[in-house]
Structure formats: C-alpha cells, structure tokens
Amino acid sequence: MKRELVVVIDFGGQYNQLVARRVRECNVYCEIYSYKTNLEKIRAMNPKGIILTGGPNSCYKEDSPTCSKELFELGIPVLGLCYGAQLMQHVLGGKVARADVREYGKTEVLIDKPSSKLFDGVSERTVCWMSHFDTIFEVAEGFEITAHTTDCPVAAAENVEAGLYGIQYHPEVLHTAEGTKMISNFVLDVCECVGDWRMDSFVEESIKQIREKVGDGKVLCALSGGVDSSVAAVLLSKAIGNQLTCVFVDHGLLRKNEGDEVEEIFGINGQYDLNFIRVNAQQRFYDKLAGVSEPEQKRKIIGEEFIRVFEEEAKKIGTVDFLVQGTIYPDVVESGLGGESVVIKSHHNVGGLPDYVDFKEIIEPLRDLFKDEVRQAGLELDIPEYLVFRQPFPGPGLGVRIIGEVTVDKVRIVQEADAIFREEIASAGLDRSIGQYFAGLTNMQSVGVMGDERTYDYAVALRAVNTIDFMTAEAVEVPYEVLNKVMSRIINEVKGVNRIFYDLTSKPPGTIEFE
Ligand code: XMP
C-alpha cells in the first residue's frame, strides 16, 4: 500500500519529535530527516509536504544549518516553523536579524489574513508559544504577511502560489492553543493529504509484511514484559504463530509478581500462539551482583549476564533466521539515524544485541512508531490494557532502584513497597496521569520505634515524576493523603522499613531512576 508521507526536516530544535507526532495525529505518516539529507533523496520520497523545524542557531550565520533554494522549488508545499520560517525567508531573499526584544513564552498573535488556509478555523487573536532571539524583518518577494505580534511584524507569512508558509512560533507545543489546528490545516488542506494512516492498517500491513519477509523461517524474540517487546511479540505471533520463540529472562529484579504475570499472558496457558521460554535466572544475577555497589558496574553486570543467559537459551534453539528488536521511532531519531537532534541514548536496554546468537537478520516491527502509537497498536492487537499502559520500567529493573549492594532481602523490600505505592496511586485514580512512579530503596538504615521495640531499618524513597521526553522531569505533587496512606501501609506491611521519604528532585539535577 502506498502511504502518504510528510517529511519533517530537522534543524536541531527540541520539539522536533513533537512536530512529527502532531502530523501523525492527523492520520498522516511522517518521518524526520536531518537538514543534511540530500535533496534528491527527499524528492524521491515524493512527500506530500515538507515541514522545517525550529533550531537553536541564527540562520544568517555562515556555519548554521541551512537548506538549498531548490527545496522551495520542488512544487511540494513547505511549512517553516520558527528557525524554519526564518531560514525560508533568509534563503529566498527576506531579512532576518537579531530582534531588540527576545520573544519567549505565551504570546498573543494577531492574524492579519484570516482567509489563509493555514488559519482556517483559527481565532483572529490566538495564543502561541514563542522562543526566538532573531526575527523576520522583511519577507521575500512573493510573500505576504499573514500574522504579527506586538513585538514582531512578521509572526507568519505565506506565498500561496509557491505553496510556502512560515510561522515564527511553535504550533507543535500544547501552549500554542490552536497549534494542532494549524498543523492539520497545513497537512490536510494545503498539502491535500487524505489522512488514512491508522493503527488498524498499520497492524494489518505489518502482519502481511512480516509473513512475506519471514516465510517459513524461525524468529527469536527477547521478551521483557514491557510494552514494546510485548507488542512486537504479539504482532509476530499473529503473523507467524509458533515460528516465533520468545525468551523471557527473569533476572530477579522485576517488580512484584511480574515474572508470573508475563508467563500468564505469554506462556502455555496464555492466549497467543508462540513458543514461550521462561528462564529463572534470579540466583545467577544475585550471585554476580553480590558485594557490588557502584551503579555503573551493577548495570554492566546485569546487562552482560542478561546477554549470557539469552545466548545460552538461543544456542539450545539453534540457528534462527531472524532476531526481533523492539526499536521504536524515537530510538531511531535519537541514535542520529533519522533527524538532527542527536542525543545518543544513554541507556541501552538490557540485552542490547547479543553478539553470539546465530541469526541472519534483524526484524524491527515497531521501528516507525512513537510510544503512544505502539500503545495504540497494542490495543488494536487486543493486548490487555494494564500491559499496554504499563509505565516504563528500565531494563536493569530494580537493580537501578536499590542504592548500594543488591541483596535478596533488599529486592523483597523494594518490590513490596513499590507494589503498595502503585496500588495506592491506582486507587487514587492517578495511574494514567503520572509519567513514572515507583519506590526505591535508600541505603540508609536509621533508628526507629515500633511497638515497644527499637528498630534499625531501611528508608524507602517514593518517586513520581512527569516528563515529556525523559531528558528532563519534574516531581509530581502527589496528594498528601495518598503519600500518607502509602507511608503507613509500607511501614506496617513491609518488614525491614521504618522510614519513608518522598523524592522531590527534578531532572536535572537528579535522574528519574534511583541508583
Ligand atoms: P534516568 O534515570 O536516566 O531515566 O533519568 C530516564 C528514563 O530511562 C529509563 N531507564 C532505562 N530504560 N534501560 C531502559 O530500558 C535502562 O537501562 C534504563 N535506565 C533508565 C528510566 O526508567 C526513565 O524512564
């Protein structure tokens, strides 16, 4: 099936993945490419539209990211956002320079041309998110100014005949009240996309493609029970049934009951047609981790041991044709393969790429999807909701939620405390609104009293954060009564704990995890 494509050209701005997501919310498929991408390659993709993103540079400086004039002459509509809008003017002969006033934050934009296709259905005074030092002072020939602000004569400009549009703010962020409308106007009205990219068609199409690719080959998948690997496994199972073998390594650092839950869903009594192998390697991991307190070393041990266990299982299976990776689109972009915002992922999933597994090719069935789209695909595939909406859980598991040495007893404490915290967050109805929340175990023991007895027990830390991109995060204001209830339940129900802290730290300076 030929699908409509909008190309986002990345100039290094921080919201670039959001731009692509907003386009996909219009049911139009969208990919991000670096500004360095060859023009011929873009032409060959035959996109219905091109969006130039924001970026931190000044477009008139010599070594700033740029694009060629020909990009605007392809006959494909182009929308420039912020830096993208400035660059469009700069390249085509307009004037961009440093402004006297930096525009930053929510700003009222006054629409001068309400009949513009871009502003169809948008209020004539509308609040937009600004973030720029430079500004457009004069537009290039053929352009008309379509919006302004108090400080800035050109908030938007267009050359309808050439299909070129520029707006000097960020419609992709939610602070721009009618931003989604503007993006959908561009994508659906200006570019004339039909908007038929949907999850059910993705699922159907992927199943067909997987069948074609795999033929009667054997496929191996490392299943963690997380959202991505679960959705990938179910998709493959629907496509090729028991040609798929899933290996689930229980490293003993999972959340309470998680190992059994994964087995219940994917194992022999579960509802999917696949071969499921659970490896109970808990003791192996505990032995390797004994006496180790340094966080990076713990991560390394867990990662390496995971690969060893996985390889041993794979060897028993023998040669396989394909190995499944749960890569999703942000991984592709962040590893620098897609766009320009090269933030090399600092965390690798446990497992990485097992070096010695004998396989011919990798399959990455979720490579094109954002996280929320992976979840939609999961729902399409009838995966239970609690699994689909599971919060992120790091590959090294509770290994990065226990400060200092990992012991069986500490694992028990953190598992139980965490289960109570999650239960109470869910019963307060907060589970879908908090990005990530969990209990961690400090390495601190202190004196307390319980009944008439003196105790010398551990302190548990509760952590709840909201984050958009996992690069930054803020602690959530969990209602006091919820925290209080969690505190008293943990103290009463979890042996070995006599103090509870709430971690208020944002990221930076903290990290999300607790290690
Ligand atoms: P930090 O702690 O670095 O975490 O602020 C950012 C996000 O990444 C998750 N995380 C990991 N995910 N393997 C993963 O799959 C890992 O090793 C790992 N370490 C951290 C963390 O849960 C948070 O969502």
Side-chain angles (χ1 to χ4, degrees):
M1 193 175 85
K2 186 94 195 73
R3 66 185 174 198
E4 295 174 325
L5 171 71
V6 165
V7 165
V8 169
I9 299 191
D10 186 347
F11 290 94
Q14 54 179 326
Y15 307 125
N16 298 345
Q17 291 194 28
L18 267 184
V19 176
R21 280 181 52 183
R22 296 281 174 259
V23 173
R24 289 194 189 184
E25 281 165 17
C26 306
N27 297 316
V28 174
Y29 184 69
C30 176
E31 287 183 351
I32 305 173
Y33 291 92
S34 159
Y35 71 91
K36 292 175 190 153
T37 309
N38 184 295
L39 192 66
E40 272 321 301
K41 186 173 166 189
I42 292 173
R43 195 204 304 267
M45 288 188 270
N46 197 20
K48 298 278 285 187
I50 295 171
I51 299 180
L52 313 180
T53 73
N57 303 77
S58 283
C59 65
Y60 45 83
K61 289 204 176 137
E62 209 170 292
D63 48 2
S64 290
T66 190
C67 64
S68 68
K69 197 160 171 265
E70 288 74 44
L71 180 76
F72 303 108
E73 296 166 352
L74 294 172
I76 300 168
V78 182
L79 171 66
L81 307 179
C82 209
Y83 184 84
Q86 294 166 356
L87 185 67
M88 179 187 282
Q89 292 304 327
H90 176 70
V91 170
L92 296 175
K95 189 175 163 220
V96 179
R98 175 98 348 170
D100 295 334
V101 201
R102 180 188 184 202
E103 280 200 300
Y104 183 79
K106 287 185 188 174
T107 309
E108 191 175 52
V109 169
L110 305 158
I111 309 288
D112 300 314
K113 186 186 172 191
S115 64
S116 162
K117 277 191 177 179
L118 208 59
F119 298 132
D120 188 24
V122 171
S123 327
E124 287 188 27
R125 290 168 167 267
T126 184
V127 171
C128 298
W129 183 257
M130 298 283 178
S131 173
H132 55 106
F133 284 110
D134 289 339
T135 197
I136 302 167
F137 283 99
E138 274 169 37
V139 293
E141 209 184 308
F143 278 82
E144 62 179 313
I145 297 169
T146 56
H148 70 279
T149 70
T150 334
D151 290 318
C152 161
V154 189
E158 66 189 31
N159 177 342
V160 177
E161 219 161 277
L164 305 178
Y165 296 76
I167 49 187
Q168 222 180 186
Y169 46 82
H170 291 278
E172 67 276 23
V173 304
L174 288 176
H175 306 302
T176 297
E178 297 173 280
T180 308
K181 180 76 186 133
M182 295 174 206
I183 291 180
S184 102
N185 283 346
F186 176 71
V187 169
L188 302 179
D189 297 345
V190 177
C191 305
E192 298 180 344
C193 290
V194 179
D196 54 3
W197 153 257
R198 293 207 167 73
M199 265 316 123
D200 53 350
S201 50
F202 169 84
V203 166
E204 210 176 293
E205 209 183 310
S206 302
I207 290 178
K208 217 169 91 204
Q209 282 172 0
I210 293 168
R211 279 192 189 134
E212 270 165 28
K213 182 164 183 174
V214 170
D216 56 7
K218 272 201 211 168
V219 182
L220 179 62
C221 172
L223 185 66
S224 70
V227 185
D228 302 343
S229 71
S230 300
V231 172
V234 172
L235 196 54
L236 277 146
S237 136
K238 297 250 160 147
I240 54 161
N242 65 11
Q243 285 165 256
L244 169 70
T245 300
C246 288
V247 174
F248 166 56
V249 176
D250 188 339
H251 52 24
L253 301 163
L254 299 168
R255 285 168 292 196
K256 190 176 174 186
N257 300 333
E258 198 166 17
D260 294 342
E261 281 167 17
V262 172
E263 184 167 353
E264 217 167 277
I265 295 172
F266 293 99
I268 195 130
N269 298 318
Q271 52 177 318
Y272 302 114
D273 183 20
L274 50 82
N275 301 303
F276 176 82
I277 299 172
R278 173 174 179 173
V279 191
N280 286 312
Q282 294 91 330
Q283 199 54 51
R284 264 178 82 157
F285 283 84
Y286 297 150
D287 290 347
K288 288 268 167 172
L289 287 167
V292 182
S293 325
E294 206 276 316
E296 276 306 308
Q297 210 188 338
K298 287 197 286 190
R299 279 178 172 273
K300 221 168 141 213
I301 291 172
I302 299 167
E304 276 174 10
E305 197 57 17
F306 186 94
I307 295 178
R308 296 290 91 77
V309 175
F310 187 72
E311 279 168 3
E312 282 168 26
E313 284 312 307
K315 275 204 190 102
K316 291 184 201 158
I317 299 167
T319 305
V320 292
D321 301 283
F322 300 90
L323 182 72
V324 181
Q325 287 279 297
T327 320
I328 66 171
Y329 197 52
D331 303 330
V332 176
V333 177
E334 281 162 22
S335 63
L337 298 174
E340 190 52 29
S341 356
V342 186
V343 189
I344 303 292
K345 242 195 157 178
S346 53
H347 300 295
H348 298 281
N349 276 324
V350 159
L353 248 197
D355 305 337
Y356 308 109
V357 175
D358 223 351
F359 66 93
K360 293 181 196 141
E361 227 182 296
I362 286 180
I363 299 190
E364 298 175 310
L366 310 177
R367 208 188 142 80
D368 292 340
L369 303 189
F370 284 108
K371 193 79 178 185
D372 49 341
E373 294 173 322
V374 173
R375 293 203 161 103
Q376 277 176 48
L379 294 177
E380 246 351 284
L381 287 161
D382 289 327
I383 300 177
E385 279 203 17
Y386 77 88
L387 215 166
V388 167
F389 290 101
R390 208 163 236 193
Q391 51 168 324
F393 186 63
L398 301 178
V400 291
R401 293 185 180 170
I402 292 172
I403 310 277
E405 187 187 0
V406 174
T407 64
V408 178
D409 202 42
K410 283 180 170 177
V411 171
R412 172 195 59 83
I413 291 177
V414 82
Q415 275 179 338
E416 289 182 6
D418 178 68
I420 291 170
F421 188 33
R422 284 189 289 131
E423 223 175 278
E424 292 302 329
I425 288 284
S427 61
L430 299 169
D431 50 334
R432 291 267 183 105
S433 61
I434 302 180
Q436 209 171 344
Y437 54 95
F438 56 84
L441 188 60
T442 73
N443 207 18
M444 181 192 112
Q445 285 175 286
S446 66
V447 174
V449 277
M450 215 139 170
D452 289 332
E453 264 180 55
R454 177 184 182 279
T455 57
Y456 189 64
D457 284 333
Y458 281 108
V460 160
L462 304 175
R463 183 137 178 78
V465 297
N466 275 336
T467 171
I468 293 178
D469 55 5
F470 296 97
M471 303 292 168
T472 59
E474 275 183 15
V476 173
E477 282 186 41
V478 177
Y480 185 74
E481 60 278 14
V482 178
L483 290 176
N484 207 34
K485 182 151 186 222
V486 174
M487 179 275 294
S488 89
R489 279 196 59 194
I490 294 177
I491 301 279
N492 284 314
E493 296 172 36
V494 186
K495 195 167 160 284
V497 181
N498 67 356
R499 243 172 241 272
I500 311 289
F501 295 127
Y502 185 69
D503 186 347
L504 281 176
T505 325
S506 50
K507 170 183 180 175
T511 59
I512 294 176
E513 290 299 344
F514 195 77
E515 58 184 322

